[in-house]
Amino acid sequence: MPVIALIVIGAAAGFLATRLMRIEADIPTTMLIGIVGALVGGFLLRALITVSGWLSGFVGAVLGALLVIWIWQTYVRR
C-alpha cells in the first residue's frame, strides 16, 4: 500500500484509535497519532503478513495507532 494511502487511512484510524483508547486529543494530535500509527502498523503488517487490500491496511493502521497511543500514554505523558 503506498505511503499516501497509509496517511489518508491514518487520519481515520487516529480518530478511531483515540475513541477506543478513550483519550481526549485535539484534531492535529489525533491525525498525527493516526498517521504515525498507520505508517508503523502498515509497514509492520506488510512485513509480518502478506495480506493485501484496504481492509487489512485499515486494521493495521488502527493497531499501529493503538500502539502509538499506548506508548505515548506510558512513556511520554507522565
Side-chain angles (χ1 to χ4, degrees):
M1 181 177 303
V3 175
I4 301 296
L6 287 175
I7 291 172
V8 171
I9 291 172
F15 174 76
L16 183 61
T18 55
R19 297 307 171 249
L20 288 173
M21 297 289 287
R22 293 188 178 117
I23 66 166
E24 294 296 324
D26 55 357
I27 293 172
T29 303
T30 300
M31 289 180 64
L32 181 66
I33 288 170
I35 291 169
V36 171
L39 292 173
V40 169
F43 289 130
L44 287 177
L45 186 64
R46 178 179 259 188
L48 297 176
I49 303 171
T50 57
V51 179
S52 63
W54 289 96
L55 183 60
S56 65
F58 184 71
V59 170
V62 170
L63 292 176
L66 290 172
L67 177 66
V68 169
I69 290 171
W70 178 78
I71 290 171
W72 178 48
Q73 285 183 336
T74 303
Y75 297 110
V76 177
R77 195 175 158 199
R78 286 192 172 198

